[in-house]
């Protein structure tokens, strides 16, 4: 087993940031990130992820460091951010699916990249802050399909998704405490919102793992499935359903649900109502209601 994967399984340390951030810390110890572009179409050729469009309107990103159980290295994170940005700007992509392998979604982080960091360098250079792009810059829905290990940064990455599906035997956890640190990419915040303070405290303070079956029971996952094949099929089906709706309405729906995490109930309801009112100015709202009245399929213009 790759040394990074072995350490990740044992500790599940949090994910790493971008090349630009890390290069300022310990340039001699970090891998060089090279993203190659096709000489014909200008499309990036990825080394640590695979990018496909398996269904109409669906973009899929598959983490692809099999020997390291998809440990989250700087080159992988750089490619992931690039792919997400590309799908966000793509006129043909409406929903994004993020997954790993049957054995591992992401078993943790490449610990060698983080071990040399000092407080001052990490703090003053906002180490790992680029992860916020996943929750602020990405307007399109993101579905995570998790099988196998999702530890440390892998668990945090899964928690960033709008919808999380997993296998019943998936292995989640925030075991950073075992290496003298804490979750750094939102694990303490998102996990607590999902399972409540008491359960989150138990999981983070002990470093205990929890299964995909427990993830569904506790509200971390929307659904859990009995096999990897079923997981991927159902995740793709959900992504395709979402991609079949108005892009305007889908983006608005994601926005109002996310606001519920930031606002009190009264302010949240008022925000929802304003967005609801705004959609009456879209062409798709007219198309959708007319199609419903005429018992026809809506032909969205995404305007």
């Amino acid at each position: 087993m790759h040394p990074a994967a072995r350490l990740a399984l044992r500790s599940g340390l949090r994910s790493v940031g971008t090349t630009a951030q890390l290069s300022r810390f310990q340039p001699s110890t970090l891998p060089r990130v090279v993203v190659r572009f096709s000489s014909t179409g200008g499309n990036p050729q990825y080394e640590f992820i695979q990018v496909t469009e398996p269904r109409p309107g669906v973009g899929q990103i598959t983490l692809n460091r099999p020997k390291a159980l998809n440990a989250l290295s700087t080159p992988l994170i750089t490619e992931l951010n690039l792919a997400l940005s590309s799908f966000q700007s793509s006129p043909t992509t409406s929903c994004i699916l993020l997954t790993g392998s049957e054995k591992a979604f992401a078993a943790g982080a490449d610990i060698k990249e983080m071990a040399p960091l000092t407080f001052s360098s990490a703090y003053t250079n906002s180490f790992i802050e680029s992860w916020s792009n996943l929750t602020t810059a990405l307007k399109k829905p993101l579905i995570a399909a998790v099988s196998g290990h999702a530890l440390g940064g892998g668990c945090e990455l899964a928690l960033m998704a709008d919808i999380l599906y997993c296998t019943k035997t998936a292995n989640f956890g925030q075991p950073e405490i075992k290496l003298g640190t804490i979750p750094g990419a939102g694990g303490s915040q998102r996990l607590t919102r999902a399972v409540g303070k008491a359960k989150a405290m138990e999981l983070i303070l002990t470093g205990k793992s929890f299964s995909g079956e427990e993830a569904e029971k506790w509200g971390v996952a929307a659904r859990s499935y009995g096999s990897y094949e079923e997981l991927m099929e159902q995740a793709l089906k959900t992504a395709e359903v979402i991609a079949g709706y108005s892009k305007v309405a889908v983006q608005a729906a994601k926005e109002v649900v996310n606001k519920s995490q930031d606002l009190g109930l009264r302010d949240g309801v008022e925000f929802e109502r304003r967005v609801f009112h705004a959609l009456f100015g879209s062409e798709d709202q007219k198309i959708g209601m007319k199609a419903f009245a005429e018992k026809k399929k809506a032909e969205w213009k995404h305007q």
Side-chain angles (χ1 to χ4, degrees):
M1 183 183 291
H2 190 282
R6 191 181 300 112
L7 285 170
L9 281 174
R10 196 162 57 239
S11 63
L13 269 183
R14 62 185 181 277
S15 306
V16 297
T18 64
T19 307
Q21 292 168 316
L22 284 169
S23 62
R24 291 195 291 268
F25 302 145
Q26 295 288 338
S28 63
T29 65
L30 299 178
R32 184 168 58 94
V33 180
V34 178
V35 179
R36 299 177 177 84
F37 288 81
S38 168
S39 59
T40 55
N43 295 320
Q45 297 177 344
Y46 300 108
E47 183 177 357
F48 301 106
I49 64 173
Q50 295 175 342
V51 177
T52 57
E53 296 183 47
R55 304 281 175 90
V58 179
Q60 179 173 325
I61 302 172
T62 304
L63 306 182
N64 187 37
R65 290 187 73 201
K67 292 183 179 180
L69 297 179
N70 295 331
L72 300 174
S73 66
T74 298
L76 185 152
I77 295 299
T78 302
E79 291 185 0
L80 174 59
N81 285 331
L82 180 61
L84 288 170
S85 177
S86 178
F87 278 138
Q88 174 60 40
S89 61
S90 170
T92 60
T93 302
S94 298
C95 188
I96 303 167
L97 175 63
L98 175 63
T99 191
S101 66
E102 182 174 2
K103 186 180 293 185
F105 176 75
D110 195 332
I111 299 169
K112 291 181 180 179
E113 294 190 66
M114 293 190 295
L117 297 182
T118 64
F119 166 75
S120 59
S121 61
Y123 180 69
T124 58
N125 291 284
S126 301
F127 175 63
I128 217 167
E129 189 173 325
S130 64
W131 279 95
S132 297
N133 294 338
L134 290 171
T135 55
T136 57
L138 188 63
K139 307 299 182 183
K140 296 176 181 179
L142 177 67
I143 300 173
V146 178
S147 178
H149 302 293
L151 300 170
C155 184
E156 290 172 305
L157 178 60
L159 289 170
M160 291 180 196
D162 300 304
I163 300 173
L164 198 167
Y165 288 163
C166 62
T167 59
K168 293 184 182 298
T169 56
N171 181 35
F172 294 91
Q174 298 287 170
E176 289 87 350
I177 199 74
K178 296 180 180 180
L179 288 187
T181 186
I182 64 171
S188 66
Q189 306 303 299
R190 294 189 178 92
L191 187 60
T192 301
R193 281 169 168 75
V195 304
K197 178 183 174 181
K199 182 63 69 177
M201 280 289 193
E202 178 189 40
L203 294 169
I204 292 172
L205 292 179
T206 65
K208 291 172 57 177
S209 296
F210 57 98
S211 69
E213 194 168 9
E214 289 172 316
E216 181 184 15
K217 179 181 177 182
W218 297 341
V220 174
R223 297 180 188 277
S224 62
Y225 298 97
S227 69
Y228 175 70
E229 291 74 21
E230 187 181 10
L231 164 70
M232 294 306 301
E233 178 59 29
Q234 294 304 317
L236 283 169
K237 278 186 178 180
T238 296
E240 190 173 14
V241 167
I242 294 171
Y245 293 131
S246 162
K247 292 180 182 178
V248 180
V250 167
Q251 181 171 319
K254 172 174 173 172
E255 184 178 11
V256 295
V257 173
N258 280 338
K259 275 294 182 183
S260 72
Q261 304 300 293
D262 303 325
L263 301 175
L265 180 59
R266 181 173 178 177
D267 289 339
V269 169
E270 289 182 358
F271 179 83
E272 175 194 74
R273 190 179 302 116
R274 295 297 176 265
V275 176
F276 171 70
H277 289 163
L279 287 176
F280 281 89
S282 72
E283 288 188 45
D284 283 348
Q285 179 269 331
K286 306 304 179 192
I287 291 170
M289 292 194 174
K290 182 180 179 183
F292 179 82
E294 296 176 353
K295 298 182 180 180
K296 296 179 179 180
K297 182 179 179 180
E299 298 293 337
W300 310 112
K301 292 186 178 180
H302 306 296
Q303 296 179 355

